[in-house]
Amino acid sequence: MEYTQKLIYQSNYWYNDGLQKAKIRDLSGAITSLKKSLQFNSENIAARNLLGLVYYGRGEVGEALVEWILSKNIHPQDNIAGYYIQKIQESPADLDIINQSIRKYNQSLIYCGQGGEDLAIIQLKQVVSSCPSFLRAYQLLALLYLHTEQYSLARQVLKEANKLDTTNELTLRYMHELAQSRRRRRENGEKPEDKPRKKPQTVTYSIGNETIIQPASAIMKENTSRTTIMNILIGLGVGIAFMWFLIMPAVNKSTSTKTNKQVAAFSDKIAEEEAQIAALKTELESYRAVSEETENAQQTAASTKDSYEIVIEMYSHYLNDDISDSAMVEQILKVNPEALGALGRERYDEMKGTLFPRYSETLYYTARENFDVANYAEAAANLTMLMQIDAGYDDGNAMFLLARAYEASGDADNAAQWKERVEKDYPNVDTSQASEDNSDDYEAYDYDYDDDYYDEEYE
């Protein structure tokens, strides 16, 4: 008990530490402390619920749901985790936005692996806009800005990420790398600004009241009227040639391109829907697996507790000999011997070794008497109990008598089932006499019983 109390104290200590860190937005430190708390006491519901809230605060809704579902399974009654789960389920639109954001984040990772930083940045901007608490999206977006030398944008994103989690190791590493990059640029004589933009490809100038935009490489001064006339003629000829030889093929190509884009868009949409369905199925299976594992553990614990209680109670009656064999055997059959420890198994085996043979003989003798007086239902009931204790009693003859009792009572299905089992497991038993007269059959099972014992037992 002292060791258990120490574990509880340690778990509560780390819970309080995680709570203090969560209050100052030190979410990474809070997660570490709360996980330690659960290591010392996995049934600390307050720590598990707070861990789910911290995950939710970082935009990790899936991890938060896992912790709340575990908490709900451990302590179903008066648990605030149920309220958290209900609030998420009550807003399907918000849940859909979260799923869309996670899918876009995963697609951004794929774009990064394929060298598509621009596409990844576009996706991540949408993610942080729809889910402002998604810490991982901020971190990946900042990394892409650093990679493309857009340092001012990276600084803004990292500030937002640092507000969400003030001590996150990855965010601090990126901030340090941004500061180092700025220092290196200053040492090299460069201005600590973003990557210089490309020079404009066009030049704008005015002629009278009109504004002319031309390519920078195509600036020409039209100084003479001759040059102007020549340019007009050349332009007219090029326009006519362009009309006859390029416009119609371009129109056809544009139509084909538009159709191909629509087909590609529909294909992408179908692929996204399939990916969403697969992700939801995976998430649902993980929740079911966790729920089933917890339920199995609870059932095992309950079986162990019940088995020990039965063994303790029946062993006391066994020593005092104050209840009947039938009552004791009925309770012992409910015991799961695999769930018992060494001492419990020893007590169980002791009672079983004494009571089962004695009560088996009583059941068989009583069933024979019931069968002899045509009380087939009672005979079948006693023999069914005997099958639970010792299915092979009297080298299969008891099982065969059960088949005959069912047959005599008109239950052909059970009779055929038990007779088939006799023929399979005990081929030495003569099953041909099952259809003969009951009085003739009785002689085939004549055994020498201790009359004095049964007179005393049923006196």
Side-chain angles (χ1 to χ4, degrees), residues 22-47:
K23 289 180 178 179
I24 60 173
R25 298 297 298 187
D26 179 9
L27 302 187
S28 296
I31 290 175
T32 302
S33 297
L34 293 171
K35 285 184 176 180
K36 287 183 179 180
S37 174
L38 293 175
Q39 288 178 354
F40 286 103
N41 181 12
S42 62
E43 296 184 359
N44 191 336
I45 303 303

mmCIF file of all heavy atoms in Angstrom, residues 22-47:
data_model
loop_
_atom_site.group_PDB
_atom_site.id
_atom_site.type_symbol
_atom_site.label_atom_id
_atom_site.label_comp_id
_atom_site.label_asym_id
_atom_site.label_seq_id
_atom_site.Cartn_x
_atom_site.Cartn_y
_atom_site.Cartn_z
ATOM 1 N N ALA A 22 0.750 24.201 -18.825
ATOM 2 C CA ALA A 22 -0.317 24.444 -19.785
ATOM 3 C C ALA A 22 -0.888 25.857 -19.622
ATOM 4 O O ALA A 22 -1.280 26.486 -20.615
ATOM 5 C CB ALA A 22 -1.420 23.406 -19.626
ATOM 6 N N LYS A 23 -0.915 26.354 -18.398
ATOM 7 C CA LYS A 23 -1.463 27.690 -18.159
ATOM 8 C C LYS A 23 -0.626 28.776 -18.800
ATOM 9 O O LYS A 23 -1.140 29.846 -19.129
ATOM 10 C CB LYS A 23 -1.573 27.944 -16.654
ATOM 11 C CG LYS A 23 -2.672 27.140 -15.974
ATOM 12 C CD LYS A 23 -2.718 27.442 -14.488
ATOM 13 C CE LYS A 23 -3.856 26.674 -13.803
ATOM 14 N NZ LYS A 23 -3.910 26.932 -12.346
ATOM 15 N N ILE A 24 0.680 28.553 -18.987
ATOM 16 C CA ILE A 24 1.557 29.555 -19.608
ATOM 17 C C ILE A 24 1.867 29.190 -21.053
ATOM 18 O O ILE A 24 2.872 29.628 -21.610
ATOM 19 C CB ILE A 24 2.851 29.718 -18.797
ATOM 20 C CG1 ILE A 24 3.613 28.391 -18.729
ATOM 21 C CG2 ILE A 24 2.558 30.241 -17.405
ATOM 22 C CD1 ILE A 24 4.987 28.519 -18.072
ATOM 23 N N ARG A 25 1.038 28.322 -21.667
ATOM 24 C CA ARG A 25 1.178 27.916 -23.071
ATOM 25 C C ARG A 25 2.483 27.171 -23.324
ATOM 26 O O ARG A 25 2.966 27.133 -24.466
ATOM 27 C CB ARG A 25 1.091 29.121 -24.008
ATOM 28 C CG ARG A 25 -0.210 29.875 -23.968
ATOM 29 C CD ARG A 25 -1.368 29.022 -24.409
ATOM 30 N NE ARG A 25 -1.248 28.562 -25.785
ATOM 31 C CZ ARG A 25 -2.200 27.919 -26.428
ATOM 32 N NH1 ARG A 25 -3.356 27.670 -25.820
ATOM 33 N NH2 ARG A 25 -2.027 27.514 -27.661
ATOM 34 N N ASP A 26 3.056 26.551 -22.296
ATOM 35 C CA ASP A 26 4.200 25.656 -22.506
ATOM 36 C C ASP A 26 3.630 24.262 -22.785
ATOM 37 O O ASP A 26 3.691 23.355 -21.954
ATOM 38 C CB ASP A 26 5.101 25.661 -21.267
ATOM 39 C CG ASP A 26 6.293 24.725 -21.419
ATOM 40 O OD1 ASP A 26 6.510 24.213 -22.550
ATOM 41 O OD2 ASP A 26 7.008 24.508 -20.427
ATOM 42 N N LEU A 27 3.049 24.096 -23.990
ATOM 43 C CA LEU A 27 2.307 22.875 -24.282
ATOM 44 C C LEU A 27 3.226 21.669 -24.414
ATOM 45 O O LEU A 27 2.866 20.557 -24.017
ATOM 46 C CB LEU A 27 1.484 23.061 -25.550
ATOM 47 C CG LEU A 27 0.485 24.221 -25.527
ATOM 48 C CD1 LEU A 27 -0.390 24.202 -26.775
ATOM 49 C CD2 LEU A 27 -0.379 24.174 -24.279
ATOM 50 N N SER A 28 4.409 21.852 -24.993
ATOM 51 C CA SER A 28 5.336 20.723 -25.127
ATOM 52 C C SER A 28 5.767 20.219 -23.755
ATOM 53 O O SER A 28 5.805 19.008 -23.490
ATOM 54 C CB SER A 28 6.560 21.141 -25.948
ATOM 55 O OG SER A 28 6.189 21.473 -27.266
ATOM 56 N N GLY A 29 6.090 21.146 -22.857
ATOM 57 C CA GLY A 29 6.456 20.743 -21.499
ATOM 58 C C GLY A 29 5.286 20.110 -20.767
ATOM 59 O O GLY A 29 5.455 19.152 -20.004
ATOM 60 N N ALA A 30 4.068 20.617 -21.020
ATOM 61 C CA ALA A 30 2.882 20.046 -20.386
ATOM 62 C C ALA A 30 2.653 18.617 -20.855
ATOM 63 O O ALA A 30 2.313 17.734 -20.053
ATOM 64 C CB ALA A 30 1.655 20.903 -20.690
ATOM 65 N N ILE A 31 2.849 18.360 -22.140
ATOM 66 C CA ILE A 31 2.671 16.999 -22.660
ATOM 67 C C ILE A 31 3.657 16.044 -22.013
ATOM 68 O O ILE A 31 3.312 14.928 -21.608
ATOM 69 C CB ILE A 31 2.826 16.995 -24.196
ATOM 70 C CG1 ILE A 31 1.629 17.698 -24.835
ATOM 71 C CG2 ILE A 31 2.961 15.585 -24.730
ATOM 72 C CD1 ILE A 31 1.749 17.860 -26.334
ATOM 73 N N THR A 32 4.917 16.477 -21.889
ATOM 74 C CA THR A 32 5.932 15.619 -21.257
ATOM 75 C C THR A 32 5.562 15.299 -19.807
ATOM 76 O O THR A 32 5.627 14.147 -19.365
ATOM 77 C CB THR A 32 7.298 16.315 -21.313
ATOM 78 O OG1 THR A 32 7.639 16.593 -22.667
ATOM 79 C CG2 THR A 32 8.374 15.441 -20.685
ATOM 80 N N SER A 33 5.143 16.308 -19.055
ATOM 81 C CA SER A 33 4.793 16.094 -17.645
ATOM 82 C C SER A 33 3.564 15.196 -17.499
ATOM 83 O O SER A 33 3.531 14.297 -16.654
ATOM 84 C CB SER A 33 4.550 17.434 -16.960
ATOM 85 O OG SER A 33 5.710 18.225 -16.958
ATOM 86 N N LEU A 34 2.555 15.409 -18.331
ATOM 87 C CA LEU A 34 1.328 14.624 -18.227
ATOM 88 C C LEU A 34 1.557 13.178 -18.638
ATOM 89 O O LEU A 34 0.952 12.259 -18.078
ATOM 90 C CB LEU A 34 0.234 15.252 -19.091
ATOM 91 C CG LEU A 34 -0.259 16.626 -18.598
ATOM 92 C CD1 LEU A 34 -1.183 17.262 -19.621
ATOM 93 C CD2 LEU A 34 -0.962 16.491 -17.258
ATOM 94 N N LYS A 35 2.433 12.937 -19.603
ATOM 95 C CA LYS A 35 2.765 11.554 -19.963
ATOM 96 C C LYS A 35 3.475 10.849 -18.812
ATOM 97 O O LYS A 35 3.242 9.663 -18.552
ATOM 98 C CB LYS A 35 3.633 11.529 -21.215
ATOM 99 C CG LYS A 35 2.858 11.809 -22.499
ATOM 100 C CD LYS A 35 3.752 11.672 -23.722
ATOM 101 C CE LYS A 35 2.948 11.853 -24.998
ATOM 102 N NZ LYS A 35 3.809 11.727 -26.206
ATOM 103 N N LYS A 36 4.345 11.580 -18.091
ATOM 104 C CA LYS A 36 4.985 11.001 -16.906
ATOM 105 C C LYS A 36 3.942 10.687 -15.831
ATOM 106 O O LYS A 36 4.028 9.656 -15.162
ATOM 107 C CB LYS A 36 6.031 11.968 -16.361
ATOM 108 C CG LYS A 36 7.284 12.070 -17.209
ATOM 109 C CD LYS A 36 8.313 12.991 -16.559
ATOM 110 C CE LYS A 36 9.576 13.072 -17.386
ATOM 111 N NZ LYS A 36 10.586 13.967 -16.766
ATOM 112 N N SER A 37 2.966 11.585 -15.685
ATOM 113 C CA SER A 37 1.909 11.347 -14.705
ATOM 114 C C SER A 37 1.160 10.057 -15.021
ATOM 115 O O SER A 37 0.873 9.254 -14.123
ATOM 116 C CB SER A 37 0.944 12.529 -14.702
ATOM 117 O OG SER A 37 -0.161 12.282 -13.859
ATOM 118 N N LEU A 38 0.864 9.822 -16.297
ATOM 119 C CA LEU A 38 0.134 8.613 -16.694
ATOM 120 C C LEU A 38 1.009 7.373 -16.593
ATOM 121 O O LEU A 38 0.497 6.266 -16.421
ATOM 122 C CB LEU A 38 -0.396 8.771 -18.116
ATOM 123 C CG LEU A 38 -1.479 9.829 -18.276
ATOM 124 C CD1 LEU A 38 -1.858 9.999 -19.734
ATOM 125 C CD2 LEU A 38 -2.716 9.463 -17.462
ATOM 126 N N GLN A 39 2.342 7.535 -16.683
ATOM 127 C CA GLN A 39 3.225 6.387 -16.479
ATOM 128 C C GLN A 39 3.156 5.886 -15.034
ATOM 129 O O GLN A 39 3.195 4.678 -14.792
ATOM 130 C CB GLN A 39 4.659 6.769 -16.834
ATOM 131 C CG GLN A 39 4.898 6.927 -18.328
ATOM 132 C CD GLN A 39 6.320 7.366 -18.645
ATOM 133 O OE1 GLN A 39 7.109 7.664 -17.733
ATOM 134 N NE2 GLN A 39 6.659 7.416 -19.909
ATOM 135 N N PHE A 40 3.027 6.800 -14.103
ATOM 136 C CA PHE A 40 2.925 6.396 -12.695
ATOM 137 C C PHE A 40 1.522 5.904 -12.345
ATOM 138 O O PHE A 40 1.367 5.035 -11.499
ATOM 139 C CB PHE A 40 3.297 7.573 -11.779
ATOM 140 C CG PHE A 40 4.771 7.864 -11.730
ATOM 141 C CD1 PHE A 40 5.302 8.928 -12.418
ATOM 142 C CD2 PHE A 40 5.633 7.045 -11.021
ATOM 143 C CE1 PHE A 40 6.659 9.208 -12.381
ATOM 144 C CE2 PHE A 40 6.992 7.305 -10.976
ATOM 145 C CZ PHE A 40 7.510 8.386 -11.662
ATOM 146 N N ASN A 41 0.502 6.454 -12.993
ATOM 147 C CA ASN A 41 -0.878 6.031 -12.715
ATOM 148 C C ASN A 41 -1.692 6.210 -13.986
ATOM 149 O O ASN A 41 -2.141 7.315 -14.310
ATOM 150 C CB ASN A 41 -1.468 6.857 -11.569
ATOM 151 C CG ASN A 41 -2.893 6.438 -11.237
ATOM 152 O OD1 ASN A 41 -3.363 5.382 -11.703
ATOM 153 N ND2 ASN A 41 -3.595 7.232 -10.452
ATOM 154 N N SER A 42 -1.875 5.118 -14.730
ATOM 155 C CA SER A 42 -2.579 5.202 -16.014
ATOM 156 C C SER A 42 -4.056 5.530 -15.837
ATOM 157 O O SER A 42 -4.720 5.880 -16.801
ATOM 158 C CB SER A 42 -2.437 3.874 -16.774
ATOM 159 O OG SER A 42 -3.025 2.810 -16.038
ATOM 160 N N GLU A 43 -4.602 5.422 -14.623
ATOM 161 C CA GLU A 43 -6.008 5.714 -14.380
ATOM 162 C C GLU A 43 -6.222 7.115 -13.805
ATOM 163 O O GLU A 43 -7.276 7.403 -13.251
ATOM 164 C CB GLU A 43 -6.608 4.664 -13.442
ATOM 165 C CG GLU A 43 -6.615 3.260 -14.027
ATOM 166 C CD GLU A 43 -7.306 2.257 -13.119
ATOM 167 O OE1 GLU A 43 -7.757 2.673 -12.035
ATOM 168 O OE2 GLU A 43 -7.402 1.080 -13.494
ATOM 169 N N ASN A 44 -5.213 7.970 -13.941
ATOM 170 C CA ASN A 44 -5.356 9.354 -13.503
ATOM 171 C C ASN A 44 -6.197 10.096 -14.542
ATOM 172 O O ASN A 44 -5.691 10.601 -15.553
ATOM 173 C CB ASN A 44 -3.971 9.997 -13.355
ATOM 174 C CG ASN A 44 -4.046 11.343 -12.646
ATOM 175 O OD1 ASN A 44 -5.086 12.007 -12.654
ATOM 176 N ND2 ASN A 44 -2.952 11.746 -12.024
ATOM 177 N N ILE A 45 -7.487 10.147 -14.327
ATOM 178 C CA ILE A 45 -8.421 10.687 -15.311
ATOM 179 C C ILE A 45 -8.163 12.172 -15.557
ATOM 180 O O ILE A 45 -8.233 12.637 -16.699
ATOM 181 C CB ILE A 45 -9.874 10.463 -14.847
ATOM 182 C CG1 ILE A 45 -10.130 8.962 -14.607
ATOM 183 C CG2 ILE A 45 -10.853 11.013 -15.855
ATOM 184 C CD1 ILE A 45 -9.867 8.105 -15.808
ATOM 185 N N ALA A 46 -7.855 12.914 -14.515
ATOM 186 C CA ALA A 46 -7.617 14.346 -14.681
ATOM 187 C C ALA A 46 -6.422 14.594 -15.599
ATOM 188 O O ALA A 46 -6.464 15.457 -16.476
ATOM 189 C CB ALA A 46 -7.387 14.990 -13.312
ATOM 190 N N ALA A 47 -5.341 13.815 -15.409
ATOM 191 C CA ALA A 47 -4.156 13.977 -16.257
ATOM 192 C C ALA A 47 -4.463 13.609 -17.697
ATOM 193 O O ALA A 47 -4.025 14.281 -18.635
ATOM 194 C CB ALA A 47 -3.019 13.120 -15.711
#
